[in-house]
Amino acid sequence: AARSKALKGCDVALIIGARLNWLLHYGQPPNWAPGCKFILVDISGEEILHRKPSVGLVGDARAVTAELLKAFRAANQVI
């Protein structure tokens, strides 16, 4: 119930290492908020091209996450 409520009210979703397939309802309403923007991190560039997220980052989840954290901290965005 909490997950469904979060997905339906989501403006931006950061998906790391998970596929936007049937398990995540392909990122489509009514399970996701209409207009939700997706930032998709995946090791497969083909997956990024196939799903067409708002932002696609190709790479190892651990490495990409470390770089994102570094960038947030450099911009003084506390995480």
Side-chain angles (χ1 to χ4, degrees):
R3 177 183 132 166
S4 294
K5 185 175 180 177
L7 297 180
K8 290 177 183 180
C10 188
D11 294 325
V12 176
L14 174 60
I15 310 291
I16 301 174
R19 302 274 164 92
L20 278 174
N21 59 18
W22 64 275
L23 291 172
L24 291 175
H25 311 285
Y26 300 99
Q28 299 295 314
N31 297 84
W32 289 85
C36 179
K37 305 290 186 210
F38 291 94
I39 302 168
L40 185 59
V41 177
D42 201 284
I43 195 80
S44 169
E46 290 178 10
E47 182 68 14
I48 301 291
L49 291 173
H50 180 68
R51 298 295 173 202
K52 298 176 179 52
S54 298
V55 175
L57 302 171
V58 178
D60 175 75
R62 184 179 304 218
V64 172
T65 302
E67 290 298 317
L68 286 171
L69 285 171
K70 210 182 323 181
F72 287 138
R73 289 178 179 138
N76 292 318
Q77 300 298 315
V78 178
I79 292 185

